[in-house]
Amino acid sequence: MSIRIGLGFDSHAFKAGIPLVIGGLKIDHPEGLAGHSDGDLLLHAITDALLGAVAAGDIGTFFPPSDPKWKGADSTVFLKTALEEVALAGYKIVNIDCVLVMHRPKIVPIAGELRERVAELLQLDMKNVSIKDIKRGMVAGDSKNDPPLGTETFDAQVIVMDHPNKIMEGYTPVLDCHTAHSTILSSRAFPVFSSY
């Protein structure tokens, strides 16, 4: 059995006049995220992590932003391709842990709906998908002495764990913990895989 870990990175600035799409859901917000596709940084981070874990390249390899074909594309298309690459390499996702880092909008009221949608897209049980948020001020400064400046970006971090499709006799489950970091203009995704 082998375990693979991948890292995904993405960053999008807020932009007026476009819908905000996170995790395959349109979110009620006055601004969306600028990007060549629909700007869904959560699905982009997950896609990059999955592709990286199986050494299949990155999201830009499969869907170059220079190609007009992908202008405004639904990011679920990117995720489906990454899932095909993961399956082709003989891996299966076990769980995913996502942290969205931003100042706005509030994620807690829609976290359940986001988890449900991401679980559906990844073909996972919802109990294996975690999505939570950290307010930008919690990571960008200390509100008393160094208040965070207004930010125009939205970030995400993701950890994914995979195991063999067939559990072999004598297999002992392993818990592998990783800490993800996000910079002010980033989203990161960390998948962990085992071959089957």
Side-chain angles (χ1 to χ4, degrees):
M1 176 185 72
S2 66
I3 294 175
R4 305 281 305 254
I5 300 171
L7 168 65
F9 179 91
D10 195 19
S11 176
H12 292 280
F14 282 102
K15 182 178 179 181
I18 57 173
L20 177 60
V21 181
I22 305 169
L25 292 177
K26 286 192 178 176
I27 310 297
D28 185 25
H29 194 266
E31 297 175 305
L33 295 172
H36 186 67
S37 63
D38 61 7
D40 188 335
L41 84 165
L42 180 55
L43 293 190
H44 294 179
I46 295 169
T47 297
D48 249 356
L50 296 173
L51 292 171
V54 295
D58 63 18
I59 196 169
T61 303
F62 288 84
F63 310 100
S66 58
D67 188 342
K69 175 180 179 180
W70 305 116
K71 180 70 177 162
D74 183 335
S75 294
T76 61
V77 171
F78 307 157
L79 187 61
K80 286 176 185 172
T81 297
L83 289 171
E84 290 168 3
E85 291 295 318
V86 167
L88 187 64
Y91 292 88
K92 181 180 177 186
I93 303 169
V94 172
N95 73 304
I96 185 167
D97 186 22
C98 309
V99 179
L100 299 170
V101 183
M102 74 297 179
H103 183 66
R104 60 192 186 340
K106 292 185 183 295
I107 295 301
V108 172
I110 59 168
E113 193 177 356
L114 278 173
R115 287 179 58 221
E116 187 175 356
R117 179 64 176 144
V118 170
E120 176 189 351
L121 291 169
L122 295 175
Q123 301 168 11
L124 293 174
D125 188 302
M126 193 168 148
K127 70 181 180 185
N128 296 322
V129 176
S130 171
I131 298 178
K132 52 200 176 280
D133 69 342
I134 295 175
K135 292 299 170 215
R136 170 78 67 205
M138 301 299 285
V139 295
D142 119 19
S143 60
K144 193 173 191 181
N145 303 314
D146 180 24
L149 302 174
T151 181
E152 299 304 317
T153 63
F154 193 123
D155 311 325
Q157 299 177 48
V158 182
I159 297 174
V160 182
M161 185 162 194
D162 274 14
H163 73 84
N165 195 24
K166 297 176 184 175
I167 303 297
M168 295 165 245
E169 191 174 329
Y171 169 76
T172 304
V174 176
L175 177 62
D176 196 352
C177 298
H178 301 273
T179 301
H181 261 340
S182 180
T183 61
I184 287 186
L185 300 173
S186 73
S187 60
R188 296 173 184 249
F190 297 83
V192 181
F193 300 97
S194 294
S195 63
Y196 51 116

Short mmCIF file of all heavy atoms in Angstrom, two decimals, residues 40-105:
data_model
loop_
_atom_site.label_atom_id
_atom_site.label_comp_id
_atom_site.label_asym_id
_atom_site.label_seq_id
_atom_site.Cartn_x
_atom_site.Cartn_y
_atom_site.Cartn_z
N ASP A 40 -14.27 29.37 -9.13
CA ASP A 40 -14.55 28.56 -7.94
C ASP A 40 -13.25 28.07 -7.31
O ASP A 40 -12.77 26.98 -7.61
CB ASP A 40 -15.45 27.37 -8.32
CG ASP A 40 -15.96 26.60 -7.12
OD1 ASP A 40 -15.31 26.64 -6.05
OD2 ASP A 40 -17.01 25.94 -7.26
N LEU A 41 -12.68 28.89 -6.43
CA LEU A 41 -11.36 28.56 -5.88
C LEU A 41 -11.36 27.29 -5.04
O LEU A 41 -10.34 26.59 -4.98
CB LEU A 41 -10.79 29.73 -5.09
CG LEU A 41 -11.20 29.89 -3.63
CD1 LEU A 41 -10.27 30.85 -2.94
CD2 LEU A 41 -12.62 30.34 -3.51
N LEU A 42 -12.46 26.92 -4.41
CA LEU A 42 -12.48 25.69 -3.63
C LEU A 42 -12.32 24.47 -4.55
O LEU A 42 -11.49 23.60 -4.31
CB LEU A 42 -13.76 25.58 -2.80
CG LEU A 42 -13.89 24.32 -1.94
CD1 LEU A 42 -12.70 24.15 -1.01
CD2 LEU A 42 -15.20 24.36 -1.16
N LEU A 43 -13.09 24.44 -5.64
CA LEU A 43 -12.96 23.32 -6.57
C LEU A 43 -11.62 23.35 -7.29
O LEU A 43 -11.04 22.30 -7.60
CB LEU A 43 -14.11 23.29 -7.58
CG LEU A 43 -15.49 22.99 -7.01
CD1 LEU A 43 -16.49 22.75 -8.14
CD2 LEU A 43 -15.49 21.83 -6.05
N HIS A 44 -11.07 24.54 -7.54
CA HIS A 44 -9.75 24.64 -8.17
C HIS A 44 -8.68 24.08 -7.23
O HIS A 44 -7.79 23.34 -7.67
CB HIS A 44 -9.41 26.09 -8.50
CG HIS A 44 -10.29 26.68 -9.55
ND1 HIS A 44 -10.15 27.98 -9.98
CD2 HIS A 44 -11.33 26.17 -10.26
CE1 HIS A 44 -11.07 28.25 -10.91
NE2 HIS A 44 -11.79 27.15 -11.08
N ALA A 45 -8.77 24.40 -5.94
CA ALA A 45 -7.80 23.91 -4.97
C ALA A 45 -7.89 22.39 -4.84
O ALA A 45 -6.86 21.70 -4.81
CB ALA A 45 -8.02 24.58 -3.62
N ILE A 46 -9.10 21.87 -4.79
CA ILE A 46 -9.28 20.42 -4.70
C ILE A 46 -8.75 19.75 -5.97
O ILE A 46 -8.04 18.74 -5.91
CB ILE A 46 -10.76 20.06 -4.47
CG1 ILE A 46 -11.23 20.58 -3.11
CG2 ILE A 46 -10.97 18.56 -4.57
CD1 ILE A 46 -12.74 20.49 -2.90
N THR A 47 -9.07 20.31 -7.13
CA THR A 47 -8.62 19.76 -8.41
C THR A 47 -7.10 19.69 -8.48
O THR A 47 -6.52 18.66 -8.83
CB THR A 47 -9.17 20.59 -9.59
OG1 THR A 47 -10.60 20.52 -9.58
CG2 THR A 47 -8.64 20.11 -10.92
N ASP A 48 -6.44 20.79 -8.13
CA ASP A 48 -4.97 20.83 -8.17
C ASP A 48 -4.37 19.82 -7.20
O ASP A 48 -3.37 19.17 -7.50
CB ASP A 48 -4.47 22.23 -7.83
CG ASP A 48 -3.84 22.92 -9.03
OD1 ASP A 48 -3.74 22.30 -10.11
OD2 ASP A 48 -3.46 24.08 -8.89
N ALA A 49 -4.97 19.68 -6.03
CA ALA A 49 -4.46 18.73 -5.05
C ALA A 49 -4.58 17.30 -5.55
O ALA A 49 -3.66 16.51 -5.42
CB ALA A 49 -5.22 18.90 -3.73
N LEU A 50 -5.71 16.97 -6.13
CA LEU A 50 -5.92 15.62 -6.64
C LEU A 50 -4.95 15.30 -7.77
O LEU A 50 -4.34 14.24 -7.80
CB LEU A 50 -7.36 15.45 -7.12
CG LEU A 50 -8.45 15.56 -6.05
CD1 LEU A 50 -9.83 15.54 -6.70
CD2 LEU A 50 -8.32 14.47 -5.02
N LEU A 51 -4.80 16.24 -8.70
CA LEU A 51 -3.88 16.03 -9.81
C LEU A 51 -2.44 15.91 -9.32
O LEU A 51 -1.68 15.05 -9.77
CB LEU A 51 -4.00 17.17 -10.83
CG LEU A 51 -5.31 17.25 -11.61
CD1 LEU A 51 -5.39 18.54 -12.42
CD2 LEU A 51 -5.48 16.04 -12.51
N GLY A 52 -2.06 16.76 -8.39
CA GLY A 52 -0.71 16.73 -7.85
C GLY A 52 -0.40 15.44 -7.11
O GLY A 52 0.72 14.92 -7.19
N ALA A 53 -1.37 14.93 -6.39
CA ALA A 53 -1.15 13.71 -5.61
C ALA A 53 -0.82 12.51 -6.49
O ALA A 53 -0.08 11.62 -6.07
CB ALA A 53 -2.36 13.41 -4.75
N VAL A 54 -1.35 12.49 -7.70
CA VAL A 54 -1.06 11.36 -8.60
C VAL A 54 -0.08 11.77 -9.70
O VAL A 54 0.06 11.07 -10.71
CB VAL A 54 -2.37 10.76 -9.20
CG1 VAL A 54 -3.21 10.14 -8.11
CG2 VAL A 54 -3.15 11.79 -10.00
N ALA A 55 0.61 12.90 -9.48
CA ALA A 55 1.63 13.41 -10.41
C ALA A 55 1.12 13.52 -11.84
O ALA A 55 1.81 13.18 -12.79
CB ALA A 55 2.88 12.53 -10.34
N ALA A 56 -0.11 14.03 -11.97
CA ALA A 56 -0.72 14.17 -13.29
C ALA A 56 -0.61 15.59 -13.84
O ALA A 56 -1.18 15.89 -14.87
CB ALA A 56 -2.20 13.76 -13.22
N GLY A 57 0.12 16.45 -13.15
CA GLY A 57 0.22 17.84 -13.59
C GLY A 57 -0.61 18.73 -12.69
O GLY A 57 -0.83 18.43 -11.52
N ASP A 58 -1.09 19.82 -13.28
CA ASP A 58 -1.93 20.73 -12.51
C ASP A 58 -3.12 21.17 -13.35
O ASP A 58 -3.24 20.79 -14.51
CB ASP A 58 -1.12 21.92 -11.98
CG ASP A 58 -0.54 22.78 -13.10
OD1 ASP A 58 -1.00 22.69 -14.25
OD2 ASP A 58 0.39 23.55 -12.81
N ILE A 59 -3.97 21.98 -12.75
CA ILE A 59 -5.18 22.42 -13.42
C ILE A 59 -4.87 23.15 -14.73
O ILE A 59 -5.57 23.00 -15.72
CB ILE A 59 -6.05 23.27 -12.46
CG1 ILE A 59 -7.48 23.41 -12.97
CG2 ILE A 59 -5.41 24.60 -12.16
CD1 ILE A 59 -8.45 23.99 -11.95
N GLY A 60 -3.76 23.91 -14.74
CA GLY A 60 -3.37 24.65 -15.95
C GLY A 60 -2.89 23.75 -17.07
O GLY A 60 -2.98 24.10 -18.25
N THR A 61 -2.37 22.57 -16.73
CA THR A 61 -1.94 21.59 -17.73
C THR A 61 -3.13 21.10 -18.53
O THR A 61 -3.08 20.98 -19.76
CB THR A 61 -1.26 20.38 -17.05
OG1 THR A 61 -0.17 20.84 -16.26
CG2 THR A 61 -0.76 19.37 -18.07
N PHE A 62 -4.21 20.81 -17.83
CA PHE A 62 -5.41 20.28 -18.47
C PHE A 62 -6.32 21.38 -19.03
O PHE A 62 -6.97 21.18 -20.06
CB PHE A 62 -6.22 19.45 -17.45
CG PHE A 62 -5.58 18.14 -17.11
CD1 PHE A 62 -4.61 18.06 -16.13
CD2 PHE A 62 -5.94 16.98 -17.77
CE1 PHE A 62 -4.01 16.85 -15.81
CE2 PHE A 62 -5.36 15.76 -17.47
CZ PHE A 62 -4.39 15.70 -16.48
N PHE A 63 -6.36 22.52 -18.34
CA PHE A 63 -7.28 23.60 -18.72
C PHE A 63 -6.55 24.94 -18.72
O PHE A 63 -6.75 25.76 -17.84
CB PHE A 63 -8.45 23.65 -17.72
CG PHE A 63 -9.10 22.30 -17.51
CD1 PHE A 63 -8.80 21.55 -16.38
CD2 PHE A 63 -10.00 21.79 -18.44
CE1 PHE A 63 -9.39 20.30 -16.19
CE2 PHE A 63 -10.58 20.56 -18.26
CZ PHE A 63 -10.28 19.81 -17.13
N PRO A 64 -5.69 25.17 -19.71
CA PRO A 64 -4.89 26.41 -19.71
C PRO A 64 -5.77 27.66 -19.79
O PRO A 64 -6.70 27.72 -20.59
CB PRO A 64 -4.02 26.27 -20.96
CG PRO A 64 -4.60 25.16 -21.76
CD PRO A 64 -5.44 24.33 -20.87
N PRO A 65 -5.47 28.66 -18.94
CA PRO A 65 -6.26 29.89 -18.96
C PRO A 65 -6.12 30.66 -20.27
O PRO A 65 -6.94 31.53 -20.57
CB PRO A 65 -5.73 30.69 -17.78
CG PRO A 65 -4.44 30.07 -17.40
CD PRO A 65 -4.45 28.66 -17.90
N SER A 66 -5.12 30.33 -21.07
CA SER A 66 -4.94 30.99 -22.36
C SER A 66 -5.92 30.44 -23.41
O SER A 66 -6.09 31.04 -24.47
CB SER A 66 -3.51 30.79 -22.86
OG SER A 66 -3.22 29.40 -22.95
N ASP A 67 -6.57 29.32 -23.11
CA ASP A 67 -7.51 28.71 -24.05
C ASP A 67 -8.90 29.28 -23.85
O ASP A 67 -9.52 29.09 -22.80
CB ASP A 67 -7.53 27.19 -23.83
CG ASP A 67 -8.33 26.43 -24.88
OD1 ASP A 67 -9.15 27.07 -25.59
OD2 ASP A 67 -8.14 25.21 -25.00
N PRO A 68 -9.43 29.99 -24.86
CA PRO A 68 -10.76 30.61 -24.73
C PRO A 68 -11.87 29.59 -24.49
O PRO A 68 -12.94 29.94 -24.01
CB PRO A 68 -10.96 31.35 -26.05
CG PRO A 68 -9.91 30.87 -26.98
CD PRO A 68 -8.81 30.25 -26.16
N LYS A 69 -11.60 28.33 -24.78
CA LYS A 69 -12.59 27.27 -24.57
C LYS A 69 -13.02 27.20 -23.10
O LYS A 69 -14.15 26.81 -22.79
CB LYS A 69 -11.97 25.94 -25.00
CG LYS A 69 -12.81 24.71 -24.74
CD LYS A 69 -12.08 23.47 -25.21
CE LYS A 69 -12.86 22.21 -24.94
NZ LYS A 69 -12.15 21.02 -25.41
N TRP A 70 -12.11 27.58 -22.18
CA TRP A 70 -12.41 27.46 -20.75
C TRP A 70 -12.90 28.75 -20.13
O TRP A 70 -13.14 28.80 -18.92
CB TRP A 70 -11.17 26.92 -20.02
CG TRP A 70 -10.71 25.63 -20.61
CD1 TRP A 70 -9.52 25.39 -21.24
CD2 TRP A 70 -11.46 24.42 -20.69
NE1 TRP A 70 -9.48 24.10 -21.69
CE2 TRP A 70 -10.66 23.47 -21.37
CE3 TRP A 70 -12.73 24.03 -20.26
CZ2 TRP A 70 -11.09 22.18 -21.63
CZ3 TRP A 70 -13.16 22.73 -20.52
CH2 TRP A 70 -12.34 21.83 -21.19
N LYS A 71 -13.08 29.79 -20.93
CA LYS A 71 -13.58 31.07 -20.41
C LYS A 71 -14.98 30.86 -19.83
O LYS A 71 -15.89 30.39 -20.49
CB LYS A 71 -13.62 32.12 -21.54
CG LYS A 71 -14.13 33.48 -21.10
CD LYS A 71 -13.11 34.15 -20.20
CE LYS A 71 -13.60 35.55 -19.82
NZ LYS A 71 -12.90 36.04 -18.66
N GLY A 72 -15.13 31.16 -18.55
CA GLY A 72 -16.42 31.03 -17.87
C GLY A 72 -16.84 29.60 -17.59
O GLY A 72 -17.98 29.35 -17.18
N ALA A 73 -15.93 28.63 -17.78
CA ALA A 73 -16.27 27.21 -17.62
C ALA A 73 -16.68 26.88 -16.19
O ALA A 73 -16.19 27.46 -15.23
CB ALA A 73 -15.09 26.34 -18.03
N ASP A 74 -17.57 25.92 -16.07
CA ASP A 74 -18.00 25.38 -14.79
C ASP A 74 -16.85 24.54 -14.22
O ASP A 74 -16.38 23.59 -14.86
CB ASP A 74 -19.24 24.51 -15.02
CG ASP A 74 -19.84 23.94 -13.76
OD1 ASP A 74 -19.12 23.79 -12.75
OD2 ASP A 74 -21.05 23.64 -13.78
N SER A 75 -16.39 24.87 -13.03
CA SER A 75 -15.23 24.19 -12.44
C SER A 75 -15.49 22.73 -12.09
O SER A 75 -14.54 21.98 -11.83
CB SER A 75 -14.75 24.95 -11.20
OG SER A 75 -14.25 26.21 -11.59
N THR A 76 -16.75 22.30 -12.10
CA THR A 76 -17.01 20.88 -11.85
C THR A 76 -16.42 20.02 -12.98
O THR A 76 -16.06 18.87 -12.76
CB THR A 76 -18.52 20.59 -11.69
OG1 THR A 76 -19.21 20.95 -12.88
CG2 THR A 76 -19.11 21.33 -10.50
N VAL A 77 -16.28 20.60 -14.17
CA VAL A 77 -15.64 19.90 -15.30
C VAL A 77 -14.19 19.60 -14.95
O VAL A 77 -13.68 18.50 -15.21
CB VAL A 77 -15.73 20.75 -16.59
CG1 VAL A 77 -14.90 20.15 -17.71
CG2 VAL A 77 -17.18 20.93 -17.01
N PHE A 78 -13.50 20.56 -14.33
CA PHE A 78 -12.11 20.38 -13.94
C PHE A 78 -11.99 19.28 -12.89
O PHE A 78 -11.10 18.42 -12.96
CB PHE A 78 -11.52 21.67 -13.39
CG PHE A 78 -11.69 22.89 -14.27
CD1 PHE A 78 -11.64 24.15 -13.73
CD2 PHE A 78 -11.89 22.77 -15.64
CE1 PHE A 78 -11.78 25.28 -14.52
CE2 PHE A 78 -12.03 23.90 -16.44
CZ PHE A 78 -11.98 25.15 -15.88
N LEU A 79 -12.89 19.32 -11.92
CA LEU A 79 -12.87 18.33 -10.83
C LEU A 79 -13.12 16.92 -11.37
O LEU A 79 -12.45 15.97 -10.95
CB LEU A 79 -13.91 18.70 -9.77
CG LEU A 79 -13.89 17.86 -8.50
CD1 LEU A 79 -12.56 17.99 -7.78
CD2 LEU A 79 -15.03 18.25 -7.59
N LYS A 80 -14.04 16.78 -12.30
CA LYS A 80 -14.33 15.46 -12.88
C LYS A 80 -13.09 14.89 -13.57
O LYS A 80 -12.80 13.69 -13.46
CB LYS A 80 -15.50 15.55 -13.86
CG LYS A 80 -16.83 15.70 -13.16
CD LYS A 80 -17.97 15.88 -14.14
CE LYS A 80 -19.27 16.16 -13.39
NZ LYS A 80 -20.38 16.52 -14.26
N THR A 81 -12.35 15.73 -14.26
CA THR A 81 -11.12 15.28 -14.92
C THR A 81 -10.10 14.81 -13.89
O THR A 81 -9.45 13.78 -14.05
CB THR A 81 -10.53 16.40 -15.80
OG1 THR A 81 -11.47 16.70 -16.83
CG2 THR A 81 -9.20 16.00 -16.42
N ALA A 82 -9.97 15.57 -12.79
CA ALA A 82 -9.03 15.18 -11.73
C ALA A 82 -9.44 13.84 -11.11
O ALA A 82 -8.59 12.99 -10.85
CB ALA A 82 -8.98 16.27 -10.65
N LEU A 83 -10.74 13.64 -10.91
CA LEU A 83 -11.22 12.37 -10.35
C LEU A 83 -10.91 11.20 -11.29
O LEU A 83 -10.56 10.11 -10.84
CB LEU A 83 -12.72 12.45 -10.07
CG LEU A 83 -13.12 13.34 -8.89
CD1 LEU A 83 -14.63 13.52 -8.84
CD2 LEU A 83 -12.59 12.79 -7.58
N GLU A 84 -11.01 11.44 -12.60
CA GLU A 84 -10.67 10.40 -13.58
C GLU A 84 -9.18 10.06 -13.49
O GLU A 84 -8.80 8.89 -13.57
CB GLU A 84 -11.03 10.87 -14.99
CG GLU A 84 -12.52 10.94 -15.25
CD GLU A 84 -12.88 11.67 -16.55
OE1 GLU A 84 -11.96 12.08 -17.30
OE2 GLU A 84 -14.08 11.84 -16.79
N GLU A 85 -8.34 11.07 -13.32
CA GLU A 85 -6.89 10.84 -13.21
C GLU A 85 -6.55 10.07 -11.93
O GLU A 85 -5.69 9.20 -11.93
CB GLU A 85 -6.13 12.17 -13.24
CG GLU A 85 -6.18 12.87 -14.58
CD GLU A 85 -5.46 12.09 -15.68
OE1 GLU A 85 -4.37 11.55 -15.42
OE2 GLU A 85 -6.00 12.03 -16.80
N VAL A 86 -7.24 10.39 -10.84
CA VAL A 86 -7.03 9.69 -9.58
C VAL A 86 -7.40 8.21 -9.74
O VAL A 86 -6.66 7.32 -9.35
CB VAL A 86 -7.85 10.34 -8.44
CG1 VAL A 86 -7.91 9.45 -7.21
CG2 VAL A 86 -7.28 11.71 -8.09
N ALA A 87 -8.56 7.94 -10.34
CA ALA A 87 -9.02 6.56 -10.56
C ALA A 87 -8.06 5.81 -11.49
O ALA A 87 -7.72 4.65 -11.24
CB ALA A 87 -10.43 6.54 -11.12
N LEU A 88 -7.61 6.48 -12.55
CA LEU A 88 -6.69 5.88 -13.51
C LEU A 88 -5.37 5.47 -12.83
O LEU A 88 -4.78 4.43 -13.17
CB LEU A 88 -6.40 6.87 -14.64
CG LEU A 88 -5.60 6.38 -15.82
CD1 LEU A 88 -6.35 5.28 -16.57
CD2 LEU A 88 -5.31 7.53 -16.78
N ALA A 89 -4.95 6.25 -11.85
CA ALA A 89 -3.71 5.95 -11.12
C ALA A 89 -3.92 4.90 -10.03
O ALA A 89 -2.96 4.47 -9.39
CB ALA A 89 -3.15 7.23 -10.51
N GLY A 90 -5.19 4.49 -9.80
CA GLY A 90 -5.47 3.44 -8.83
C GLY A 90 -5.69 3.90 -7.41
O GLY A 90 -5.43 3.16 -6.47
N TYR A 91 -6.16 5.13 -7.24
CA TYR A 91 -6.38 5.68 -5.91
C TYR A 91 -7.85 6.01 -5.69
O TYR A 91 -8.61 6.17 -6.65
CB TYR A 91 -5.53 6.92 -5.69
CG TYR A 91 -4.06 6.61 -5.63
CD1 TYR A 91 -3.30 6.58 -6.79
CD2 TYR A 91 -3.45 6.32 -4.43
CE1 TYR A 91 -1.95 6.27 -6.75
CE2 TYR A 91 -2.10 6.01 -4.37
CZ TYR A 91 -1.36 5.99 -5.54
OH TYR A 91 -0.03 5.68 -5.48
N LYS A 92 -8.22 6.16 -4.44
CA LYS A 92 -9.59 6.49 -4.06
C LYS A 92 -9.56 7.46 -2.89
O LYS A 92 -8.81 7.24 -1.93
CB LYS A 92 -10.34 5.21 -3.69
CG LYS A 92 -11.77 5.44 -3.30
CD LYS A 92 -12.44 4.14 -2.94
CE LYS A 92 -13.87 4.43 -2.49
NZ LYS A 92 -14.53 3.25 -1.98
N ILE A 93 -10.36 8.50 -2.93
CA ILE A 93 -10.42 9.48 -1.85
C ILE A 93 -11.17 8.89 -0.66
O ILE A 93 -12.19 8.25 -0.82
CB ILE A 93 -11.14 10.77 -2.30
CG1 ILE A 93 -10.46 11.37 -3.53
CG2 ILE A 93 -11.21 11.80 -1.17
CD1 ILE A 93 -11.26 12.46 -4.19
N VAL A 94 -10.64 9.17 0.54
CA VAL A 94 -11.30 8.74 1.77
C VAL A 94 -12.03 9.91 2.42
O VAL A 94 -13.19 9.82 2.75
CB VAL A 94 -10.29 8.13 2.77
CG1 VAL A 94 -10.95 7.88 4.11
CG2 VAL A 94 -9.71 6.86 2.21
N ASN A 95 -11.33 11.01 2.66
CA ASN A 95 -11.97 12.17 3.28
C ASN A 95 -11.30 13.46 2.81
O ASN A 95 -10.23 13.43 2.22
CB ASN A 95 -11.93 12.07 4.80
CG ASN A 95 -10.55 12.32 5.36
OD1 ASN A 95 -9.59 11.66 4.99
ND2 ASN A 95 -10.45 13.29 6.25
N ILE A 96 -11.99 14.55 3.06
CA ILE A 96 -11.47 15.85 2.67
C ILE A 96 -11.78 16.85 3.78
O ILE A 96 -12.87 16.83 4.35
CB ILE A 96 -12.05 16.30 1.31
CG1 ILE A 96 -11.43 17.60 0.85
CG2 ILE A 96 -13.57 16.40 1.35
CD1 ILE A 96 -11.71 17.93 -0.60
N ASP A 97 -10.81 17.70 4.08
CA ASP A 97 -10.97 18.73 5.10
C ASP A 97 -10.61 20.07 4.48
O ASP A 97 -9.49 20.25 4.02
CB ASP A 97 -10.05 18.42 6.29
CG ASP A 97 -10.26 19.37 7.45
OD1 ASP A 97 -11.34 19.99 7.54
OD2 ASP A 97 -9.33 19.49 8.26
N CYS A 98 -11.56 20.97 4.43
CA CYS A 98 -11.37 22.26 3.75
C CYS A 98 -11.45 23.41 4.74
O CYS A 98 -12.33 23.43 5.60
CB CYS A 98 -12.45 22.47 2.70
SG CYS A 98 -12.66 21.12 1.55
N VAL A 99 -10.57 24.39 4.56
CA VAL A 99 -10.62 25.62 5.33
C VAL A 99 -10.67 26.78 4.34
O VAL A 99 -9.79 26.92 3.50
CB VAL A 99 -9.39 25.79 6.25
CG1 VAL A 99 -9.47 27.10 7.02
CG2 VAL A 99 -9.26 24.61 7.20
N LEU A 100 -11.71 27.58 4.43
CA LEU A 100 -11.84 28.76 3.58
C LEU A 100 -11.39 29.97 4.41
O LEU A 100 -11.84 30.16 5.53
CB LEU A 100 -13.29 28.94 3.14
CG LEU A 100 -13.84 27.78 2.31
CD1 LEU A 100 -15.34 27.92 2.13
CD2 LEU A 100 -13.15 27.71 0.98
N VAL A 101 -10.46 30.74 3.85
CA VAL A 101 -9.90 31.89 4.55
C VAL A 101 -10.30 33.16 3.83
O VAL A 101 -9.91 33.38 2.68
CB VAL A 101 -8.35 31.78 4.61
CG1 VAL A 101 -7.77 32.94 5.41
CG2 VAL A 101 -7.92 30.45 5.21
N MET A 102 -11.12 33.99 4.49
CA MET A 102 -11.60 35.22 3.86
C MET A 102 -12.20 36.13 4.91
O MET A 102 -12.38 35.75 6.06
CB MET A 102 -12.62 34.89 2.77
CG MET A 102 -13.97 34.48 3.27
SD MET A 102 -13.93 32.97 4.20
CE MET A 102 -15.63 32.84 4.63
N HIS A 103 -12.50 37.33 4.53
CA HIS A 103 -13.17 38.29 5.42
C HIS A 103 -14.68 38.19 5.26
O HIS A 103 -15.43 38.37 6.19
CB HIS A 103 -12.68 39.70 5.12
CG HIS A 103 -13.25 40.73 6.02
ND1 HIS A 103 -12.96 40.76 7.37
CD2 HIS A 103 -14.12 41.74 5.79
CE1 HIS A 103 -13.62 41.76 7.92
NE2 HIS A 103 -14.33 42.36 7.00
N ARG A 104 -15.12 37.90 4.07
CA ARG A 104 -16.54 37.78 3.74
C ARG A 104 -16.70 36.85 2.56
O ARG A 104 -15.73 36.64 1.85
CB ARG A 104 -17.13 39.14 3.41
CG ARG A 104 -16.42 39.79 2.20
CD ARG A 104 -16.80 41.22 2.05
NE ARG A 104 -16.41 42.02 0.97
CZ ARG A 104 -15.44 41.92 0.10
NH1 ARG A 104 -14.66 40.91 0.09
NH2 ARG A 104 -15.21 42.79 -0.81
N PRO A 105 -17.82 36.22 2.33
CA PRO A 105 -19.05 36.16 3.12
C PRO A 105 -18.93 35.15 4.26
O PRO A 105 -17.93 34.43 4.36
CB PRO A 105 -20.07 35.68 2.09
CG PRO A 105 -19.29 34.78 1.20
CD PRO A 105 -17.92 35.42 1.11
#
